[in-house]
Amino acid sequence: MRTNNIQLWKEFVDDNSWPLTTLNSNGVDCLAVACIYGSPLIVREVCFRGLDMNKKYFDDVEYTPLHLCAEKMEQGYQWLECYRLLKEFGADDTVKSKDGEFPWDLVPDDKKEKLHGMIDNGGESTYLYYPLIKKNP
């Protein structure tokens, strides 16, 4: 029995009813939506399934998922966790936006130290609610 939207999402993805690359009416896939809305659980699932973490979205800005998370960080810590997960799974933070901005340039100054500590902490989450999936060697 389904207990939450994450479980429902996983059922759709697992049986290919909703491929990861499906675009919504704005032309973005589930990774972009998860980054925009700050959903670490979906970001983790999508990264684990191998979706392109360096894809650029929105022609006017050409933001990667890291840019999308960085831009929203002032709204809450779930975006820090999304950013950390993307980095842990190999997202490239040297990709520039259309305006030449790196994702780190968009991180609010008051969040940079916390995020830096999360990333430098060996990839370990500071959130007990969002445990890291250990990748197979």
Side-chain angles (χ1 to χ4, degrees), residues 30-48:
C30 59
L31 179 56
V33 172
C35 291
I36 291 167
Y37 288 99
S39 179
L41 293 171
I42 292 180
V43 167
R44 180 184 66 187
E45 288 294 326
V46 171
C47 290
F48 192 67

Side-chain angles (χ1 to χ4, degrees), residues 63-78:
Y63 278 0
T64 66
L66 286 174
H67 286 96
L68 296 172
C69 292
E71 183 182 52
K72 296 280 193 168
M73 273 186 206
E74 64 189 33
Q75 296 180 24
Y77 281 100
Q78 65 266 35

